Amino acid sequence: MQKIELMAPAGNFESLQAALDNGCDSVYFGVEQLNMRARASINFTLDDLEEISKRCSEKGVRTYLTLNTIVYDHDLSIVKTLIKRAKEANITAVIAMDQAVIAMARAEQMEVHISTQINITNIETVKFYAMFADTVVLSRELSLRQVKKITEQIEKEQIKGPSGRLLEIEIFGHGALCMAVSGKCYMSLHSHNSSANRGACKQNCRKKYTVIDQESGFEMELDNEYIMSPKDLCTIDFLDQVADAGIKVLKIEGRGRAPEYVAKVIKCYRDAIDSLADGTYDKEKVISWMQELEKVYNRGFWNGYYLGQKLGEWSKEPGSHATQKKVYLGKGVHYFQKAQVGEFKIEAYDVAIGDTILITGPTTGAQEMELKQMFVNDAPAEKATKGDEVTMKLDFRIRSSDKLYKIVKTEFAKA
């Protein structure tokens, strides 16, 4: 059984660093507006490509530029520029769905990955795209049995991509699912003239709706379920079956999520994949990982379509079911390199010894820890309040762009 490549989302430099710090094998990200999270995340600029490549290459992490939206004629010059700059920055591959984008990437001799937006569901379509791509992302609606049949045929027929490597199969492993087939939805376009397929989904499917019989006028509320808002995908509790399906890449969704989400999810799946490899993957570890995953943004979890369940794992409430949330405390002021001490200005809520704190920043990523000792206004203290200057021992450098948070329990936390 080959070891799975763990692919992390990066919506900004904070999330990118969080992914790198927690053991991802590859990252995917968007630049400017031509990607499926054009509205949901900050997104990088063309000038960020070199820095992304530098940080990732230092850790041996592969880099994938997402260019998987619908592309119009007026977009083509932008696409060409993006691909050219990605090539110059040594970005590993382009994730694409449009044939023009695929052709442009191949013309620059860049590796191509076929997006899930194409909805590949059978071996013959896989063979077709193997002429252009080295990795194919399968439709999210397939079962693991169907996935395994495809990977077995690739092995049996020795289907290879342009690089000469055996074609790699990628699937989604964790994160938000869409009511539409592999995300190809037009609801946002019809209701708000804001196309999900151009990266500008308004997520109006995540709301609660009432159904009206237009003949009788009878109105009913659908059992308090958000019937177009599925729970989030989670595969960590059957990751052994996912690996057995023969996939090469496991993709974590979440370019619109906070850096602490990326840190927590990547760490859990890194541990799980490594446990599979060394034979220590077991039920007790799964329980522990699930408890950790519940701490960050989620709409509740289900197994998607992989194990053949019936459709209908819908959210019961709007928004996140996370058992924890972050509360803003203040910002970074200075880092004393020699003493390894970070200084913060408290601008909001209180913080005390024993609290769990989170520090985020473009170079810091997402660092979570228990506050064991601190100085407040240059004196040892148990508690700090708004307006205080706080210093604490840190084995990593902070900057003035860093933010300090306290982690607190939510209503979804078990007593």
Side-chain angles (χ1 to χ4, degrees), residues 1-5 144 147-148 151-152 169 171 235-250 272-277 281 306-307:
M1 185 184 295
Q2 64 180 352
K3 195 168 184 180
I4 297 170
E5 174 185 319
L144 287 181
V147 172
K148 187 171 184 177
T151 61
E152 287 175 342
I169 291 298
I171 65 171
T235 62
I236 207 163
D237 57 337
F238 59 98
L239 199 62
D240 51 345
Q241 296 179 63
V242 171
D244 184 59
I247 62 120
K248 177 64 170 65
V249 186
L250 190 73
I273 290 170
D274 291 347
S275 293
L276 274 179
Y281 177 90
Y306 291 137
L307 301 181

Side-chain angles (χ1 to χ4, degrees), residues 229-283:
S229 180
K231 293 180 180 179
D232 287 357
L233 174 65
C234 180
T235 62
I236 207 163
D237 57 337
F238 59 98
L239 199 62
D240 51 345
Q241 296 179 63
V242 171
D244 184 59
I247 62 120
K248 177 64 170 65
V249 186
L250 190 73
K251 184 174 191 172
I252 306 300
E253 188 275 340
R255 277 184 291 146
R257 298 277 174 257
E260 64 271 17
Y261 172 93
V262 176
K264 187 76 72 179
V265 176
I266 294 303
K267 186 178 189 308
C268 287
Y269 276 88
R270 174 78 279 151
D271 291 346
I273 290 170
D274 291 347
S275 293
L276 274 179
D278 63 26
T280 61
Y281 177 90
D282 59 26
K283 186 179 291 186

Side-chain angles (χ1 to χ4, degrees), residues 3-11 19 24-30 35-37 62-69 93-97 112-119 135-140 144 147 168-177 182-183 232-236 238-239 242-243 247-256 261-262 265-266 269-270 273 293 302 306:
K3 195 168 184 180
I4 297 170
E5 174 185 319
L6 178 58
M7 183 179 175
C24 68
D25 297 306
S26 57
V27 295
Y28 67 104
F29 57 92
N35 69 91
M36 293 303 288
R37 291 296 180 271
R62 290 162 64 85
T63 49
Y64 307 140
L65 171 65
T66 58
L67 281 170
N68 58 342
T69 61
V94 171
I95 302 173
M97 66 167 283
V112 172
H113 295 188
I114 299 300
S115 171
T116 190
Q117 299 295 118
I118 287 183
N119 307 133
T135 300
V136 167
V137 188
L138 296 181
S139 173
R140 283 179 266 185
L144 287 181
V147 172
E168 298 175 347
I169 291 298
E170 176 186 318
I171 65 171
F172 278 77
H174 189 93
L177 285 174
S182 279
D232 287 357
L233 174 65
C234 180
T235 62
I236 207 163
F238 59 98
L239 199 62
V242 171
I247 62 120
K248 177 64 170 65
V249 186
L250 190 73
K251 184 174 191 172
I252 306 300
E253 188 275 340
R255 277 184 291 146
Y261 172 93
V262 176
V265 176
I266 294 303
Y269 276 88
R270 174 78 279 151
I273 290 170
L293 292 171
W302 73 306
Y306 291 137

Side-chain angles (χ1 to χ4, degrees), residues 41 139 227 371:
S41 56
S139 173
I227 60 161
L371 182 58

Side-chain angles (χ1 to χ4, degrees), residues 91 209 215 224 312 319 340 363 411:
I91 298 302
Y209 286 88
E215 289 186 5
N224 198 37
Q340 291 190 307
T363 55
E411 64 200 88

Side-chain angles (χ1 to χ4, degrees), residues 4 31-32 54 67 91 116 146 168 194 216 275 300 305 315 342 352 359 383:
I4 297 170
V31 170
E32 311 294 353
K54 177 177 175 290
L67 281 170
I91 298 302
T116 190
Q146 291 170 308
E168 298 175 347
S194 185
S216 66
S275 293
Y305 306 92
S315 298
I359 303 168
K383 186 178 180 180

